[in-house]
Amino acid sequence: QVQLVESGGGLVQAGGSLSVSCAASGRIFSIDAMGWYRQAPGKQRDLVASITKGGSTNYADSVKGRFTISRDNVKNTVYLQMNSLKPEDTAVYYCYADILLQISYNRMEYWGKGTLVTVSS
């Protein structure tokens, strides 16, 4: 029904920048919140940033001032620009979207498969 496909990520040195994006496709009527979580090895999945349809944003304290979330409501895509990266930012980054489906008008949360971000010291 719906797919979220992430792109970007990779390896970067500490202090560098990287961006990831996530495009939603399928039977989408509308998308409310979109955002990013991350999961480091051996740790739980934590919220990184979220953004509402209207553009209101929320960030984890650990990334405030360094990461910027944005979205394109026409392309159903959410972006995460990551600056001043630190080794502790190393994790698999997962996007999610709160989607109202066509036809059924059911609201469901969808997740991407994740993209690895590795920050070397």
Side-chain angles (χ1 to χ4, degrees), residues 46-112:
D46 292 323
L47 175 69
V48 176
S50 64
I51 184 168
T52 67
K53 188 175 184 178
S56 297
T57 58
N58 180 49
Y59 294 94
D61 288 341
S62 59
V63 306
K64 283 181 181 177
R66 301 188 298 121
F67 290 12
T68 302
I69 189 171
S70 61
R71 64 188 281 175
D72 184 326
N73 291 331
V74 174
K75 295 181 178 180
N76 289 335
T77 300
V78 62
Y79 307 92
L80 186 68
Q81 176 65 41
M82 301 177 285
N83 299 328
S84 302
L85 282 160
K86 304 174 181 179
E88 51 263 44
D89 294 317
T90 295
V92 177
Y93 285 69
Y94 298 91
C95 70
Y96 77 92
D98 185 14
I99 296 175
L100 190 64
L101 299 174
Q102 293 178 348
I103 303 175
S104 67
Y105 297 105
N106 289 331
R107 185 179 303 279
M108 296 184 67
E109 190 170 81
Y110 288 88
W111 290 81

Side-chain angles (χ1 to χ4, degrees), residues 3-19:
Q3 284 187 326
L4 269 62
V5 179
E6 294 128 335
S7 60
L11 175 64
V12 65
Q13 288 188 332
S17 297
L18 207 59
S19 65

